[in-house]
Amino acid sequence: RQLERAGIQCFSGLHVAGGNNWRIYFEKLQKADVMLAIMSPAFFESGPCFEEQVEARQHGLKVIPLLFQLEEDGSPPGSKGGQKWVKEYEGKQKKSKLARDTLASFRVHFDDDELKLNSEPAPPGTMLNGPLLEKLGGTVKKLLDDKDTTARDNASLQQLADAQTKIAELEAEKEKKEAAFEKQLAEMAAKLEAEKQAKAAETQKLTTALEESVSAHQVELEEAHGKVAELKATATSPKKKRWGFSLGSSKGKNGH
């Protein structure tokens, strides 16, 4: 009632109508944020109560132990050993870590300061003494508000982490594309340079061939000029007179 008055939705085994399977409680438990454990001697002698606590730990619920009833000798409930819980741990739970941590959180069978939960109130007080029960709604509401704030903060941090991851992925993709583009440019530049060198070599080859051809023609031309000069020289040189002689006697008018 205190929780309902504070506007907090709640569910307990008392909400399960008679004749229905009490394990429907586990379906509700998986959707809860806070577990209020009503601590009494009977609580630690109930196998289902132990199973509920293990389930709450598995789903990460905030557990608040509320001390309602002490043992007959005035000691805290569960201090007698909680043999039913231990039996469940060694039987159905098969000594699972969750079950072991659940026992340790309630100081049953195991002693672990890092896991133990402090009850409200501390013994020998109980929730039935004083105003704690009236303040319960406010306590739980604050826990839920803090959880919501933490959840929002975690969501914001997760969004930031997701954004940073996305940015990193985009940066990596950008670098990959830039590297591919630079590689393509390098390949194109190398291809152009190879073509340029090939054309330069071809041009040099043609130039050399042309120069050799011109040189050969020049030699032939010079030889032709030489022959022409020789012919001209031969043609313009003076010819030698040819003298004829007649041997024998000749007779003149005088009989000589």
Side-chain angles (χ1 to χ4, degrees):
R1 291 178 183 176
Q2 295 296 332
L3 298 179
E4 291 173 349
R5 288 172 186 170
I8 300 171
Q9 292 184 343
C10 57
F11 188 88
S12 73
L14 298 177
H15 290 86
V16 181
N20 292 331
N21 189 345
W22 69 274
R23 298 188 72 83
I24 191 175
Y25 179 79
F26 287 95
E27 297 177 10
K28 300 289 185 179
L29 185 148
Q30 293 174 12
K31 301 175 183 178
D33 296 309
V34 176
M35 161 76 80
L36 300 179
I38 310 302
M39 291 176 61
S40 67
F43 175 70
F44 290 99
E45 291 304 321
S46 169
C49 285
F50 178 62
E51 192 173 350
E52 291 167 3
Q53 292 304 312
V54 173
E55 192 78 7
R57 177 170 288 275
Q58 180 177 359
H59 291 284
L61 274 66
K62 171 69 176 178
V63 178
I64 304 176
L66 302 178
L67 182 51
F68 268 78
Q69 184 181 356
L70 300 172
E71 297 284 352
E72 291 182 359
D73 60 1
S75 61
S79 59
K80 300 297 184 181
Q83 295 304 314
K84 185 65 176 179
W85 280 26
V86 175
K87 185 177 179 180
E88 288 286 320
Y89 166 68
E90 293 177 344
K92 290 184 190 177
Q93 297 294 335
K94 297 180 181 178
K95 297 187 177 180
S96 72
K97 185 177 185 307
L98 275 174
R100 186 261 182 207
D101 290 349
T102 301
L103 287 173
S105 67
F106 285 93
R107 299 180 176 86
V108 175
H109 199 59
F110 295 104
D111 188 12
D112 192 328
D113 290 339
E114 293 183 359
L115 294 174
K116 67 182 181 181
L117 299 172
N118 293 320
S119 65
E120 291 289 342
T126 69
M127 291 294 295
L128 302 176
N129 301 325
L132 291 177
L133 194 58
E134 286 75 13
K135 294 180 179 180
L136 180 60
T139 301
V140 175
K141 189 170 182 10
K142 184 177 184 305
L143 280 174
L144 293 174
D145 291 342
D146 290 345
K147 187 177 181 68
D148 289 341
T149 300
T150 301
R152 286 194 297 270
D153 291 344
N154 289 339
S156 298
L157 290 173
Q158 185 60 48
Q159 290 176 352
L160 178 60
D162 292 343
Q164 290 175 336
T165 300
K166 187 65 176 177
I167 290 173
E169 290 175 352
L170 291 174
E171 288 289 343
E173 186 65 22
K174 177 185 174 185
E175 291 177 0
K176 183 179 179 180
K177 289 182 178 180
E178 287 178 347
F181 182 67
E182 289 178 0
K183 181 181 179 182
Q184 187 177 9
L185 284 179
E187 290 175 350
M188 291 176 63
K191 183 178 179 181
L192 290 174
E193 182 62 25
E195 291 177 353
K196 177 182 176 182
Q197 291 180 1
K199 288 182 179 180
E202 184 66 23
T203 301
Q204 182 62 40
K205 182 179 179 181
L206 292 173
T207 301
T208 301
L210 181 61
E211 289 176 350
E212 290 175 350
S213 177
V214 169
S215 178
H217 283 95
Q218 184 67 30
V219 171
E220 291 177 358
L221 184 61
E222 289 176 356
E223 290 177 352
H225 280 303
K227 289 181 180 180
V228 169
E230 289 178 1
L231 291 173
K232 283 183 178 181
T234 302
T236 58
S237 61
K239 295 181 178 180
K240 295 180 180 181
K241 284 187 176 182
R242 296 181 179 180
W243 298 90
F245 297 92
S246 178
L247 299 176
S249 61
S250 66
K251 293 181 178 180
K253 292 179 178 183
N254 297 321
H256 296 287

Short mmCIF file of all heavy atoms in Angstrom, two decimals, residues 3-42:
data_model
loop_
_atom_site.label_atom_id
_atom_site.label_comp_id
_atom_site.label_asym_id
_atom_site.label_seq_id
_atom_site.Cartn_x
_atom_site.Cartn_y
_atom_site.Cartn_z
N LEU A 3 3.71 1.65 -1.32
CA LEU A 3 4.25 1.84 -2.67
C LEU A 3 3.17 2.36 -3.60
O LEU A 3 3.43 3.25 -4.43
CB LEU A 3 4.82 0.52 -3.20
CG LEU A 3 5.99 -0.07 -2.41
CD1 LEU A 3 6.42 -1.39 -3.03
CD2 LEU A 3 7.17 0.89 -2.38
N GLU A 4 1.98 1.80 -3.50
CA GLU A 4 0.88 2.26 -4.35
C GLU A 4 0.53 3.70 -4.07
O GLU A 4 0.24 4.47 -4.99
CB GLU A 4 -0.33 1.35 -4.16
CG GLU A 4 -0.11 -0.06 -4.71
CD GLU A 4 -1.26 -1.00 -4.37
OE1 GLU A 4 -2.11 -0.62 -3.53
OE2 GLU A 4 -1.30 -2.11 -4.93
N ARG A 5 0.61 4.11 -2.80
CA ARG A 5 0.33 5.50 -2.45
C ARG A 5 1.36 6.44 -3.05
O ARG A 5 1.05 7.59 -3.36
CB ARG A 5 0.31 5.65 -0.93
CG ARG A 5 -0.91 5.03 -0.26
CD ARG A 5 -0.76 5.04 1.24
NE ARG A 5 -1.85 4.30 1.88
CZ ARG A 5 -1.87 3.99 3.16
NH1 ARG A 5 -0.84 4.31 3.94
NH2 ARG A 5 -2.89 3.33 3.67
N ALA A 6 2.58 5.91 -3.22
CA ALA A 6 3.65 6.73 -3.80
C ALA A 6 3.62 6.69 -5.32
O ALA A 6 4.47 7.28 -5.98
CB ALA A 6 5.01 6.25 -3.30
N GLY A 7 2.60 6.00 -5.88
CA GLY A 7 2.48 5.93 -7.33
C GLY A 7 3.43 4.95 -7.99
O GLY A 7 3.76 5.09 -9.17
N ILE A 8 3.87 3.94 -7.20
CA ILE A 8 4.83 2.96 -7.72
C ILE A 8 4.10 1.66 -8.02
O ILE A 8 3.41 1.11 -7.15
CB ILE A 8 5.95 2.70 -6.70
CG1 ILE A 8 6.69 4.00 -6.41
CG2 ILE A 8 6.92 1.64 -7.23
CD1 ILE A 8 7.67 3.90 -5.26
N GLN A 9 4.21 1.17 -9.24
CA GLN A 9 3.61 -0.11 -9.59
C GLN A 9 4.38 -1.23 -8.89
O GLN A 9 5.61 -1.24 -8.89
CB GLN A 9 3.66 -0.33 -11.11
CG GLN A 9 2.76 0.60 -11.89
CD GLN A 9 2.78 0.29 -13.38
OE1 GLN A 9 3.66 -0.40 -13.87
NE2 GLN A 9 1.79 0.79 -14.10
N CYS A 10 3.66 -2.14 -8.28
CA CYS A 10 4.32 -3.22 -7.55
C CYS A 10 3.57 -4.53 -7.75
O CYS A 10 2.41 -4.54 -8.18
CB CYS A 10 4.43 -2.88 -6.06
SG CYS A 10 2.82 -2.55 -5.29
N PHE A 11 4.25 -5.61 -7.42
CA PHE A 11 3.68 -6.95 -7.57
C PHE A 11 4.32 -7.85 -6.55
O PHE A 11 5.52 -7.76 -6.29
CB PHE A 11 3.94 -7.48 -8.99
CG PHE A 11 3.23 -8.77 -9.29
CD1 PHE A 11 1.94 -8.76 -9.80
CD2 PHE A 11 3.85 -10.00 -9.07
CE1 PHE A 11 1.28 -9.95 -10.07
CE2 PHE A 11 3.19 -11.18 -9.34
CZ PHE A 11 1.90 -11.17 -9.85
N SER A 12 3.51 -8.73 -5.97
CA SER A 12 4.04 -9.70 -5.00
C SER A 12 3.29 -11.01 -5.17
O SER A 12 2.32 -11.10 -5.95
CB SER A 12 3.88 -9.19 -3.57
OG SER A 12 2.52 -9.26 -3.17
N GLY A 13 3.74 -12.01 -4.44
CA GLY A 13 3.06 -13.30 -4.50
C GLY A 13 1.61 -13.21 -4.08
O GLY A 13 0.78 -14.04 -4.47
N LEU A 14 1.26 -12.18 -3.31
CA LEU A 14 -0.12 -12.01 -2.86
C LEU A 14 -1.04 -11.64 -4.00
O LEU A 14 -2.26 -11.77 -3.89
CB LEU A 14 -0.19 -10.93 -1.76
CG LEU A 14 0.60 -11.24 -0.48
CD1 LEU A 14 0.51 -10.07 0.48
CD2 LEU A 14 0.07 -12.52 0.18
N HIS A 15 -0.45 -11.14 -5.11
CA HIS A 15 -1.27 -10.78 -6.27
C HIS A 15 -1.64 -11.99 -7.12
O HIS A 15 -2.45 -11.88 -8.04
CB HIS A 15 -0.51 -9.78 -7.16
CG HIS A 15 -0.37 -8.42 -6.54
ND1 HIS A 15 0.65 -8.10 -5.69
CD2 HIS A 15 -1.13 -7.29 -6.65
CE1 HIS A 15 0.55 -6.83 -5.32
NE2 HIS A 15 -0.54 -6.33 -5.88
N VAL A 16 -1.02 -13.14 -6.83
CA VAL A 16 -1.32 -14.36 -7.59
C VAL A 16 -2.54 -15.03 -6.95
O VAL A 16 -2.49 -15.45 -5.79
CB VAL A 16 -0.12 -15.33 -7.61
CG1 VAL A 16 -0.46 -16.57 -8.42
CG2 VAL A 16 1.11 -14.64 -8.17
N ALA A 17 -3.59 -15.10 -7.72
CA ALA A 17 -4.83 -15.69 -7.17
C ALA A 17 -4.64 -17.17 -6.87
O ALA A 17 -3.83 -17.86 -7.50
CB ALA A 17 -5.97 -15.49 -8.17
N GLY A 18 -5.38 -17.63 -5.88
CA GLY A 18 -5.29 -19.02 -5.50
C GLY A 18 -5.62 -19.95 -6.66
O GLY A 18 -6.54 -19.69 -7.42
N GLY A 19 -4.87 -21.02 -6.78
CA GLY A 19 -5.09 -21.97 -7.86
C GLY A 19 -4.25 -21.67 -9.10
O GLY A 19 -4.14 -22.52 -9.99
N ASN A 20 -3.68 -20.47 -9.20
CA ASN A 20 -2.83 -20.13 -10.34
C ASN A 20 -1.37 -20.49 -10.05
O ASN A 20 -0.96 -20.62 -8.89
CB ASN A 20 -2.92 -18.63 -10.64
CG ASN A 20 -4.29 -18.24 -11.18
OD1 ASN A 20 -4.97 -19.06 -11.81
ND2 ASN A 20 -4.70 -17.02 -10.90
N ASN A 21 -0.63 -20.67 -11.09
CA ASN A 21 0.79 -21.01 -10.94
C ASN A 21 1.55 -19.80 -10.39
O ASN A 21 1.59 -18.74 -11.02
CB ASN A 21 1.37 -21.42 -12.30
CG ASN A 21 2.78 -21.99 -12.18
OD1 ASN A 21 3.44 -21.84 -11.15
ND2 ASN A 21 3.22 -22.66 -13.22
N TRP A 22 2.16 -19.96 -9.21
CA TRP A 22 2.85 -18.85 -8.57
C TRP A 22 4.07 -18.39 -9.38
O TRP A 22 4.57 -17.27 -9.18
CB TRP A 22 3.31 -19.23 -7.16
CG TRP A 22 4.42 -20.26 -7.14
CD1 TRP A 22 4.27 -21.60 -7.18
CD2 TRP A 22 5.82 -20.02 -7.09
NE1 TRP A 22 5.47 -22.23 -7.16
CE2 TRP A 22 6.45 -21.28 -7.10
CE3 TRP A 22 6.61 -18.87 -7.04
CZ2 TRP A 22 7.83 -21.42 -7.06
CZ3 TRP A 22 7.99 -19.01 -6.99
CH2 TRP A 22 8.60 -20.27 -7.01
N ARG A 23 4.50 -19.20 -10.34
CA ARG A 23 5.70 -18.84 -11.09
C ARG A 23 5.46 -17.70 -12.07
O ARG A 23 6.40 -17.19 -12.70
CB ARG A 23 6.26 -20.06 -11.84
CG ARG A 23 6.68 -21.20 -10.91
CD ARG A 23 7.40 -22.29 -11.67
NE ARG A 23 8.74 -21.88 -12.08
CZ ARG A 23 9.80 -21.94 -11.28
NH1 ARG A 23 9.70 -22.39 -10.05
NH2 ARG A 23 10.98 -21.54 -11.72
N ILE A 24 4.21 -17.27 -12.20
CA ILE A 24 3.95 -16.07 -12.98
C ILE A 24 4.69 -14.87 -12.38
O ILE A 24 4.96 -13.87 -13.05
CB ILE A 24 2.42 -15.79 -13.04
CG1 ILE A 24 2.14 -14.71 -14.08
CG2 ILE A 24 1.90 -15.38 -11.67
CD1 ILE A 24 0.64 -14.45 -14.28
N TYR A 25 5.00 -15.01 -11.10
CA TYR A 25 5.75 -13.97 -10.39
C TYR A 25 7.08 -13.69 -11.10
O TYR A 25 7.54 -12.55 -11.14
CB TYR A 25 5.99 -14.44 -8.95
CG TYR A 25 6.79 -13.49 -8.10
CD1 TYR A 25 6.18 -12.38 -7.53
CD2 TYR A 25 8.13 -13.71 -7.84
CE1 TYR A 25 6.91 -11.50 -6.74
CE2 TYR A 25 8.86 -12.85 -7.05
CZ TYR A 25 8.24 -11.75 -6.50
OH TYR A 25 8.97 -10.89 -5.72
N PHE A 26 7.69 -14.73 -11.68
CA PHE A 26 8.99 -14.56 -12.34
C PHE A 26 8.88 -13.71 -13.60
O PHE A 26 9.80 -12.99 -13.95
CB PHE A 26 9.61 -15.92 -12.67
CG PHE A 26 10.11 -16.64 -11.46
CD1 PHE A 26 9.32 -17.59 -10.82
CD2 PHE A 26 11.36 -16.38 -10.95
CE1 PHE A 26 9.78 -18.25 -9.70
CE2 PHE A 26 11.83 -17.05 -9.83
CZ PHE A 26 11.04 -17.99 -9.19
N GLU A 27 7.73 -13.80 -14.27
CA GLU A 27 7.53 -12.96 -15.45
C GLU A 27 7.50 -11.48 -15.06
O GLU A 27 8.05 -10.63 -15.76
CB GLU A 27 6.24 -13.36 -16.16
CG GLU A 27 6.24 -14.79 -16.70
CD GLU A 27 4.92 -15.16 -17.33
OE1 GLU A 27 4.07 -14.25 -17.51
OE2 GLU A 27 4.72 -16.35 -17.64
N LYS A 28 6.83 -11.18 -13.96
CA LYS A 28 6.78 -9.81 -13.47
C LYS A 28 8.15 -9.36 -12.98
O LYS A 28 8.57 -8.22 -13.19
CB LYS A 28 5.76 -9.69 -12.33
CG LYS A 28 4.35 -10.07 -12.70
CD LYS A 28 3.72 -9.04 -13.62
CE LYS A 28 2.26 -9.37 -13.90
NZ LYS A 28 1.64 -8.35 -14.79
N LEU A 29 8.86 -10.26 -12.35
CA LEU A 29 10.16 -9.94 -11.78
C LEU A 29 11.15 -9.48 -12.86
O LEU A 29 11.95 -8.57 -12.64
CB LEU A 29 10.70 -11.17 -11.04
CG LEU A 29 11.99 -11.03 -10.26
CD1 LEU A 29 11.96 -11.95 -9.05
CD2 LEU A 29 13.20 -11.37 -11.12
N GLN A 30 11.05 -10.08 -14.04
CA GLN A 30 11.97 -9.74 -15.12
C GLN A 30 11.78 -8.31 -15.62
O GLN A 30 12.65 -7.74 -16.26
CB GLN A 30 11.80 -10.73 -16.28
CG GLN A 30 12.23 -12.14 -15.93
CD GLN A 30 11.93 -13.13 -17.04
OE1 GLN A 30 11.60 -12.74 -18.15
NE2 GLN A 30 12.02 -14.42 -16.74
N LYS A 31 10.60 -7.72 -15.32
CA LYS A 31 10.31 -6.36 -15.77
C LYS A 31 10.52 -5.33 -14.66
O LYS A 31 10.33 -4.12 -14.88
CB LYS A 31 8.87 -6.27 -16.26
CG LYS A 31 8.57 -7.22 -17.42
CD LYS A 31 7.09 -7.16 -17.79
CE LYS A 31 6.76 -8.16 -18.90
NZ LYS A 31 5.32 -8.15 -19.25
N ALA A 32 10.88 -5.80 -13.46
CA ALA A 32 11.01 -4.90 -12.31
C ALA A 32 12.39 -4.28 -12.23
O ALA A 32 13.33 -4.69 -12.92
CB ALA A 32 10.71 -5.67 -11.02
N ASP A 33 12.50 -3.25 -11.39
CA ASP A 33 13.78 -2.58 -11.14
C ASP A 33 14.27 -2.78 -9.71
O ASP A 33 15.47 -2.77 -9.46
CB ASP A 33 13.65 -1.07 -11.41
CG ASP A 33 13.35 -0.77 -12.86
OD1 ASP A 33 14.08 -1.29 -13.73
OD2 ASP A 33 12.39 -0.03 -13.14
N VAL A 34 13.32 -2.93 -8.79
CA VAL A 34 13.67 -3.05 -7.37
C VAL A 34 12.96 -4.27 -6.77
O VAL A 34 11.79 -4.53 -7.07
CB VAL A 34 13.26 -1.78 -6.59
CG1 VAL A 34 13.53 -1.95 -5.09
CG2 VAL A 34 13.99 -0.56 -7.13
N MET A 35 13.68 -5.01 -5.95
CA MET A 35 13.12 -6.16 -5.23
C MET A 35 13.14 -5.84 -3.73
O MET A 35 14.20 -5.54 -3.17
CB MET A 35 13.94 -7.42 -5.51
CG MET A 35 13.75 -8.54 -4.49
SD MET A 35 12.21 -9.43 -4.66
CE MET A 35 12.59 -10.53 -6.02
N LEU A 36 11.97 -5.88 -3.09
CA LEU A 36 11.89 -5.72 -1.64
C LEU A 36 11.81 -7.11 -1.02
O LEU A 36 10.86 -7.86 -1.25
CB LEU A 36 10.65 -4.90 -1.26
CG LEU A 36 10.57 -3.48 -1.83
CD1 LEU A 36 9.29 -2.80 -1.38
CD2 LEU A 36 11.79 -2.66 -1.40
N ALA A 37 12.84 -7.46 -0.26
CA ALA A 37 12.90 -8.78 0.38
C ALA A 37 12.38 -8.66 1.81
O ALA A 37 12.98 -7.97 2.65
CB ALA A 37 14.33 -9.30 0.37
N ILE A 38 11.24 -9.27 2.11
CA ILE A 38 10.63 -9.23 3.45
C ILE A 38 11.31 -10.28 4.31
O ILE A 38 10.98 -11.47 4.27
CB ILE A 38 9.11 -9.49 3.37
CG1 ILE A 38 8.46 -8.60 2.32
CG2 ILE A 38 8.47 -9.29 4.74
CD1 ILE A 38 8.66 -7.13 2.55
N MET A 39 12.26 -9.85 5.11
CA MET A 39 13.09 -10.77 5.89
C MET A 39 12.38 -11.19 7.17
O MET A 39 11.96 -10.36 7.97
CB MET A 39 14.44 -10.13 6.22
CG MET A 39 15.33 -9.95 5.01
SD MET A 39 16.87 -9.09 5.45
CE MET A 39 17.58 -10.22 6.64
N SER A 40 12.26 -12.52 7.31
CA SER A 40 11.68 -13.13 8.52
C SER A 40 12.25 -14.54 8.58
O SER A 40 12.86 -15.02 7.61
CB SER A 40 10.15 -13.17 8.41
OG SER A 40 9.76 -14.06 7.38
N PRO A 41 12.08 -15.25 9.68
CA PRO A 41 12.56 -16.64 9.74
C PRO A 41 11.97 -17.49 8.63
O PRO A 41 12.65 -18.34 8.04
CB PRO A 41 12.10 -17.11 11.13
CG PRO A 41 12.10 -15.85 11.95
CD PRO A 41 11.61 -14.79 11.02
N ALA A 42 10.68 -17.26 8.32
CA ALA A 42 10.01 -18.04 7.28
C ALA A 42 10.63 -17.78 5.89
O ALA A 42 10.66 -18.66 5.04
CB ALA A 42 8.52 -17.71 7.26
#
